[in-house]
Amino acid sequence: MRPLAGAPVPKRQKCDHWTPCPSDTYAYRLLSGGGRNKYAKICFEDNLLMGEQLGNVARGINIAIVNYVTGNVTATRCFDMYEGDNSGPMTKFIQSAPPKSLLFMVTYDDGSTRLNNDAKNAIEALGSKEIRNMKFRSSWVFIAAKGLELPSKIQREKINHSDAKNNRYSGWPAEIQIEGCIPKDPS
C-alpha cells in the first residue's frame, strides 16, 4: 500500500508568521527570553535585529529602534537591570529615538530590579500599561511608536510574571511573544 500524499509544506513567512503580512505593512515579532538558554529575539521585516545568533541580547531590557519611514534599524542596545546603574542610559537611549521611530523592547532574565522611576516614566510615556507591574524575571514585550500613532488593533504589550508554582522553567516564567503587521508610512 502506498502512503497518502501529505499536505504541502507551508511557505515560510516573514519573522516566522503563520500567515503573510500585506505588502503595504511591516512584519514584526517580539519574543521575550525564558529560562537560562531561551534568549530574547526581535525580528522586523524578516531581519533578526536582536538575538542570540547575533550575540546582541543580554540580561535586562533589550531595545531596537527602527526608522518607520525607511524600515531600517537605527540602533540596538541591551540594558542590564540586575547589576549596575543602567536606567539612566536606557532613559536617554529611549528619549534619543528620533520622531517617526518604532521601538521594540523585550526582556531576558531580570528587567526590573534596578529599573528606576525615570526609566518607567519614559516607557509609560510611550504607552506602556505594564512597566510598573514588572517583577523579578517577568517576561515582557512592548512595541511603541514615537512621533506617530500605531493602529489601535495592534497588540502593543504582554507580560508574564515569575510564579514558583506555575513557572515553565525552574525560577523562570515561560517566554511570551507578540507579532503582527504595522502599516507602512503612506508618504
Side-chain angles (χ1 to χ4, degrees):
M1 194 162 148
R2 293 162 75 191
L4 296 174
V9 175
K11 181 180 177 207
R12 189 186 166 287
Q13 304 300 328
K14 288 181 180 177
C15 293
D16 295 325
H17 284 205
W18 284 102
T19 57
C21 284
S23 61
D24 61 344
T25 64
Y26 295 122
Y28 66 91
R29 181 172 179 237
L30 311 180
L31 178 69
S32 73
R36 290 197 190 282
N37 300 309
K38 301 270 185 186
Y39 290 89
K41 293 179 186 177
I42 299 174
C43 179
F44 183 77
E45 276 296 276
D46 217 24
N47 294 309
L48 186 63
L49 304 183
M50 299 188 82
E52 181 183 17
Q53 302 91 320
L54 299 175
N56 66 349
V57 292
R59 174 177 64 197
I61 299 177
N62 299 272
I63 304 174
I65 300 173
V66 172
N67 179 309
Y68 174 67
V69 177
T70 65
N72 294 327
V73 64
T74 56
T76 60
R77 283 214 34 211
C78 318
F79 298 92
D80 188 342
M81 291 295 141
Y82 186 71
E83 291 182 337
D85 180 14
N86 295 302
S87 280
M90 184 179 77
T91 301
K92 287 179 184 168
F93 183 75
I94 290 168
Q95 292 170 339
S96 73
K100 291 224 170 194
S101 290
L102 299 170
L103 290 90
F104 301 100
M105 302 183 195
V106 296
T107 57
Y108 172 66
D109 193 348
D110 180 36
S112 68
T113 297
R114 294 185 181 259
L115 185 65
N116 70 22
N117 272 331
D118 288 343
K120 290 176 185 176
N121 289 340
I123 294 169
E124 264 183 341
L126 293 171
S128 173
K129 307 283 188 236
E130 296 289 354
I131 194 64
R132 294 197 184 272
N133 299 325
M134 199 166 4
K135 300 173 184 163
F136 179 69
R137 285 199 175 144
S138 291
S139 294
W140 175 73
V141 294
F142 177 56
I143 178 174
K146 191 170 176 186
L148 64 123
E149 192 65 35
L150 291 173
S152 60
K153 65 182 180 203
I154 289 177
Q155 182 179 12
R156 297 176 193 202
E157 191 171 30
K158 202 172 193 180
I159 194 166
N160 187 20
H161 299 295
S162 183
D163 174 355
K165 289 183 262 177
N166 297 318
N167 282 339
R168 176 179 286 174
Y169 312 104
S170 177
W172 304 69
E175 59 272 48
I176 55 173
Q177 74 175 10
I178 55 177
E179 66 182 28
C181 311
I182 299 171
K184 292 180 180 176
D185 187 12
S187 59

